Structures are given as C-alpha cells and as structure tokens.
C-alpha cells in the first residue's frame, strides 16, 4: 500500500519506473508489435520468464502504466485493461466460467451486463438473479456449482445499494469468487477489497476517465482469493504464486484470445483523466446531493432515488460503506408531466446515455437503456415509465439547480 494519499499516488505512479527521455507522463506507444535484438529475449517474454511487450493486443507500455494506476487505486495486486467496461466483464466471465457452472448476480445491474449474463445463460452457464440488497437472498441462491457472485455498488438507475459487506463475508466463507463492479462509486468512494471482493471491475469510460473522451474497462485482482481452490484454472496457469493464477488466466484467455484490447490512445486519455478523479468526485457528489434535495422538495416531482437522501432504503448502509454517494440519481415526475418536455427545456444538462462525465447528463430510462426489457420486466425491476436518470457533472451548483428550476417551470 502506498504511503501517500489517493491523488498523490495516482499522479506519481508513472514515475515508479523510469520514463523514456524524462517525460513526466508515460508516453503513448502506438506500436502494434515490439522488437528484440536477441530472439532469445523474445522467447523469454513469450514464455513469461522476462517482463516485456511482444504484441499490442496483449498490452502496451501505455496500457500497462494505466493498469498500474488502477491497481494502486484499488489496492489490488494486478489489473488488466480492456477496450470497454463491458469487455472487461465479458472477458472475466469467459475466462473463468465453464458450461454447467452457476453464477449468482444482482437483479439490479447495468442493463447491458444483465443482457450479457443472459447470453452466458444460453451457453450453458446458469445464472440466478437475486435482490442483492440482502445477503440472505444471495445465500439462498447458492448451489454446489456456484462459482461466482457478481454485484454493483450503487445500482443504476434506481440506486439500490447491495449488501456488499454481507455478500463478501458469505463468499469468503464459501470460497466463491466475489466480483464487484465499482464503476458508479469508483475507488475514491469505495474499495471493494475492504469487503472481501476477489475481483473489481471498473468501466474506465465513466468517473475514472471522467471527460467522456475515451472508452475503457479494467479488472483488478485484490489478491484476496486463493485461486488454487478454483477448479477452472487450466494446468498451464497453475504455476507461480496462486494469488495471480486467476488474473493470469484472464489476461491469456480473456484479453489475448478474445482481443478486446484497450488502445494506447484511449489508455493515455484515461490515465490523464484519472489524475483528477478524487477532486472531480467531490464536486460530483456534492452537486448530486444538492440536486437530489432540490428535486425531492419540488412539487412536480413524485419520487427521487439517491442514497444521500435520508429516506433512501439503504441510506445508512451507504453512509457506512462509501465516502460519498456518487453522481447518479433518478427521479420520476408527477403523473401528467411529460419528461420529454422537461428534458427539452434543460439548457446546460445534456440528453445523453453516458454517465460519469464532467458534464451533467440526463436520459429518459424506459425508452432508451431499458427499452429492450419491455414494460413488464421494467415494472418488476421498479423502473417507472417516466423515470429520468441524471449523472451529475462538475458544473457550478447554482447553474445546475437554476437549469432544473427553469425546466420545471419555476
Ligand atoms: N458497469 C456499469 C455499472 C456501467 O454503468 C457501465 C456503463 O454504463 C458499464 C459497466 C459498461 O461500461 P462501458 O460502457 O465502458 O462498456
């Protein structure tokens, strides 16, 4: 663990190894392949006997520098970067699960993650979705072939907070791989390692990058899981420290073979963005809190979902676990008020599907990100047809509140 604080550690992580020509940032290495003056060295890198780079699909010095930053942020042992958050999730499951295995997942997940898990279901991996706000629901779903439990920290769009500590204790007692998607909280607000997570996923596209200018994803091994107990590690990778077997298999099977590589350009953008993560997160959380309180008190608003509000069902849990409640909040307008009318009147706030940008973004949930599910499934997940999801940015709070006041006709 670094002796420095979060931002100091992130800012100076590149310099832990010498940087070419004394550059302050790790430069962008846009080379598809890497050459060796002695072919013996090429062989050694291929065989894992010597560190180095051989081919860009498997990693570059630029992505490695970002991976190092993420490992430090998550206090993990190793990180692998991918072309997107979804690529990180699919590669992790693809590498570590086999037909006949069972996965328990939260019912409150990012829609594309749920859709991905359903695809795994069609390929012989059984998936059970449970309300993960109670560890008892996860426990009740466990089977002898349950290999993994997958949850998010604060769910998007209705902001349910999973029983992260309870599930961690359960997974540790049963020797089950516990994967936490930390995208919404980011390692500034929450360290999944502290609740026993084995692997942490982050969409770097969101808060870590922060500027909405690059896609990326990462999976970090916290070092807590003993992979010698995991039956799906191939004999090929059962060598060296057993703590690294899982992440090595993800790098080989999930990154090298599946090939959803993080480009050096994107890695560089994300690394620069990550330098201000802690600073941006403070403003993002404070803007979200102010906006949630404003909307909750507004006569045209029916309901607001935000863990920072005292009437949120997991408010106390969020307070205990997180250093802030992040920037995702959703609200429903009173019946008869057209959400498109309100969205159309917002001047600063942008209608967009992304989240975690410096700019505040809004999206009508039902006809966009939850459209494929259909009305019945949306209702079962508690997603109202007029629900609007907001991702607060770092604008001046008075401008943001004034924009909503105008749009709501104040
Ligand atoms: N995980 C969560 C919680 C997300 O909200 C998202 C995207 O919104 C993803 C993963 C996927 O990330 P990406 O868009 O980088 O693939």
């Amino acid at each position: 663990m670094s002796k420095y604080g979060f931002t100091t550690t992130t800012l100076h992580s590149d310099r832990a190894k010498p940087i070419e020509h004394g550059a302050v940032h790790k430069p962008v290495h846009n080379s598809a392949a890497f050459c060796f003056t002695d072919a013996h060295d090429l062989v050694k890198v291929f065989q894992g006997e010597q560190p180095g780079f051989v081919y860009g699909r498997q990693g570059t010095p630029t992505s490695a520098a970002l991976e190092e930053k993420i490992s430090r942020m998550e206090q993990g042992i190793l990180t692998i970067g991918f072309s997107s958050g979804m690529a990180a999730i699919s590669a992790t499951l693809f590498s570590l699960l086999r037909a006949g295995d069972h996965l328990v997942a939260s019912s409150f997940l990012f829609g594309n993650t749920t859709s991905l898990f359903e695809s795994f279901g069609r390929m012989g991996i059984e998936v059970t979705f449970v309300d993960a706000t109670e560890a008892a629901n996860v426990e009740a779903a466990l089977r002898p072939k349950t290999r993994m439990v997958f949850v998010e920290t604060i769910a998007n769009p209705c902001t349910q907070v999973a029983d992260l500590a309870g599930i961690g204790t359960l997974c540790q007692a049963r020797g089950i791989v516990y994967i936490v998607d930390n995208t919404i909280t980011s390692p500034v607000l929450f360290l999944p390692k502290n609740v026993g997570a084995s692997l942490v996923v982050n969409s770097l596209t969101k808060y870590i990058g922060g500027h909405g200018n690059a896609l990326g994803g990462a999976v970090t091994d916290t070092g807590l899981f003993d992979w010698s107990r995991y039956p799906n590690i191939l004999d090929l990778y059962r060598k060296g420290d057993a703590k690294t077997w899982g992440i090595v298999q993800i790098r080989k099977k999930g990154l090298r073979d599946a090939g959803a590589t993080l480009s050096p350009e994107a890695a560089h953008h994300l690394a620069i963005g990550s330098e201000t993560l802690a600073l941006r997160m403070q403003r993002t959380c404070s803007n979200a809190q102010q906006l949630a309180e404003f909307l909750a008190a507004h006569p045209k608003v029916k309901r607001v979902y935000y863990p920072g509000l005292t009437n949120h069902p997991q408010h106390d849990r969020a307070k205990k676990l997180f250093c802030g409640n992040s920037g995702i909040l959703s609200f429903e307008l009173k019946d008869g008020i057209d959400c498109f009318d309100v969205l159309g009147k917002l001047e600063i706030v942008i209608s967009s599907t992304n989240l975690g940008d410096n700019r505040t973004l809004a999206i009508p949930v039902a006809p966009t990100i939850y459209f494929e599910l259909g009305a019945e499934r949306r209702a079962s997940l508690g997603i109202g047809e007029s629900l609007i999801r907001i991702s607060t940015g770092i604008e001046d709070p008075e401008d943001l509140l004034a924009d909503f006041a105008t749009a709501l006709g104040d």
Side-chain angles (χ1 to χ4, degrees):
M1 212 175 99
S2 170
K3 66 176 179 175
Y4 298 113
F6 187 93
T7 297
T8 312
T9 305
T10 304
L11 281 172
H12 294 278
S13 98
D14 284 358
R15 296 193 305 123
K17 291 184 191 131
I19 309 183
E20 303 87 306
H21 312 295
V24 173
H25 295 287
K26 187 73 186 166
V28 184
H29 290 273
N30 269 329
S31 190
F34 297 82
C35 60
F36 294 80
T37 41
D38 182 341
H40 290 102
D41 290 328
L42 172 63
V43 171
K44 282 183 192 149
V45 176
F46 249 92
Q47 297 187 1
E49 284 170 21
Q50 188 175 296
F53 302 93
V54 289
Y55 188 60
R57 175 163 30 80
Q58 294 153 48
T60 62
T62 320
S63 57
L66 176 63
E67 288 167 355
E68 180 60 37
K69 273 196 205 302
I70 308 294
S71 286
R72 287 168 186 240
M73 287 181 186
E74 290 287 0
Q75 296 182 15
I77 54 167
L78 283 167
T79 295
I80 306 174
F82 290 90
S83 57
S84 68
M86 287 316 302
I89 298 170
S90 22
T92 300
L93 269 67
F94 168 75
S95 318
L96 296 176
L97 293 175
R98 292 183 183 170
D101 285 346
H102 179 236
L103 164 74
V104 178
S106 166
S107 344
F108 311 119
L109 291 178
F110 170 55
N112 296 168
T113 307
T114 304
S115 171
L116 171 74
F117 290 177
E118 287 167 352
S119 299
F120 277 114
R122 288 186 286 276
M123 295 190 302
I125 291 156
E126 292 194 62
V127 188
T128 307
F129 293 99
V130 299
D131 176 348
T133 59
E134 300 293 339
N137 297 333
V138 173
E139 186 166 23
L142 296 181
R143 301 181 193 166
K145 291 206 82 176
T146 306
R147 303 275 180 242
M148 279 179 191
V149 174
F150 188 104
V151 300
E152 288 176 11
T153 52
I154 302 177
N156 152 23
C158 288
T159 72
Q160 297 93 339
V161 180
D163 185 357
L164 294 156
I167 299 171
T169 306
L170 177 67
C171 288
Q172 282 188 319
R174 304 286 185 95
I176 294 170
V177 174
Y178 181 28
I179 308 184
V180 177
D181 182 334
N182 200 23
T183 299
I184 303 297
T185 24
S186 90
V188 170
L189 302 182
F190 178 61
L191 281 182
K193 184 179 182 178
N194 289 345
V195 294
S198 326
L199 298 170
V200 183
V201 168
N202 279 288
S203 164
L204 307 176
T205 320
K206 315 299 177 192
Y207 293 107
I208 291 181
H211 296 67
N213 59 354
L215 290 162
V219 57
T220 301
D221 193 319
T222 59
L224 295 181
F225 191 78
D226 176 6
W227 294 99
S228 66
R229 296 170 67 183
Y230 195 72
N232 296 349
I233 301 293
L234 301 171
D235 288 344
L236 198 55
Y237 307 125
R238 287 181 176 272
K239 56 184 178 200
D241 183 356
K243 280 188 184 282
T244 65
W245 293 359
I247 198 89
V248 167
Q249 185 156 308
I250 298 171
R251 188 176 281 287
K252 300 290 185 186
K253 297 288 143 191
L255 179 66
R256 184 195 64 187
D257 295 0
T261 306
L262 177 63
S263 79
E265 295 282 359
H268 190 65
H269 279 302
L270 296 165
I272 302 293
S274 75
E275 294 180 356
T276 51
L277 173 62
L279 301 176
R280 290 184 280 104
M281 232 28 200
Q282 275 178 15
R283 177 71 86 101
T284 297
C285 293
S286 135
N287 277 353
Q289 184 70 35
Q290 292 179 60
L291 184 58
E293 286 171 13
F294 168 82
L295 291 170
H298 200 281
K300 290 190 180 163
V301 172
K302 185 156 75 178
R303 196 160 170 189
V304 182
Y305 301 86
Y306 186 63
L309 294 178
T310 50
N311 64 355
H312 185 284
Q314 291 92 37
H315 172 73
D316 291 339
R317 176 182 292 162
K319 210 164 152 187
K320 203 163 138 194
L321 288 174
F322 309 142
C323 303
N325 295 298
S326 192
I328 301 301
L329 66 121
S330 295
F331 68 100
E332 280 173 63
L333 292 159
K334 291 236 167 98
D335 296 344
I337 304 173
D338 183 359
C339 71
F340 289 95
D341 193 35
V342 174
L343 287 170
K345 287 186 183 137
L346 288 164
E347 253 182 43
I348 297 170
V349 178
I350 303 168
S351 286
S352 168
T353 185
N354 197 16
L355 58 89
D357 195 298
N358 280 335
R359 286 149 279 263
T360 298
L361 311 174
I363 188 164
V365 174
T368 57
I369 49 178
Y370 277 82
F371 174 67
E372 269 190 19
L373 288 191
E376 210 173 296
R377 186 94 186 272
R378 283 197 292 275
S380 75
L381 292 171
I383 293 169
E385 294 299 296
S386 70
L387 191 73
I388 296 176
R389 184 192 75 195
I390 308 290
S391 166
T392 53
I394 58 168
E395 291 93 348
D396 300 290
E398 54 280 9
D399 293 333
L400 198 54
L401 295 183
D403 204 23
F404 274 93
T406 309
L408 287 165
D410 292 357

